[in-house]
Amino acid sequence: MNDIRKACVEAIFSEFENEGDAIRPAYADGWSDIEARRSLGHIVGYVDLDVADIVDIVIDTINKEL
């Protein structure tokens, strides 16, 4: 179970780093105002989260890990 959790966290951080649609700046091109703090497991800043896309990322990751 710990491996699945780790893989899901990694997938969400990758989505952010690739400037995907699930995690975006809440305004214009504010990518530089958002920071990924992997060591803490946080993405901080003024963000717009697409919950359905995040759920899809988690489900896809779980299916790959099983």
Side-chain angles (χ1 to χ4, degrees):
M1 187 60 131
N2 196 24
D3 290 338
I4 292 173
R5 183 176 190 268
K6 185 176 180 178
C8 289
V9 169
E10 222 18 72
I12 291 170
F13 274 108
S14 291
E15 172 73 7
F16 168 73
E17 290 169 351
N18 294 324
E19 297 185 4
D21 291 330
I23 304 167
R24 314 181 60 92
Y27 57 93
D29 289 324
W31 286 106
S32 62
D33 298 331
I34 305 170
E35 181 181 349
R37 297 180 183 170
R38 283 181 175 264
S39 62
L40 300 175
H42 291 237
I43 296 173
V44 297
Y46 197 45
V47 297
D48 178 9
L49 302 176
D50 185 321
V51 175
D53 281 354
I54 292 173
V55 169
D56 288 344
I57 292 166
V58 170
I59 290 170
D60 291 347
T61 303
I62 290 170
N63 286 334
K64 287 177 191 173
E65 293 294 312
L66 293 179

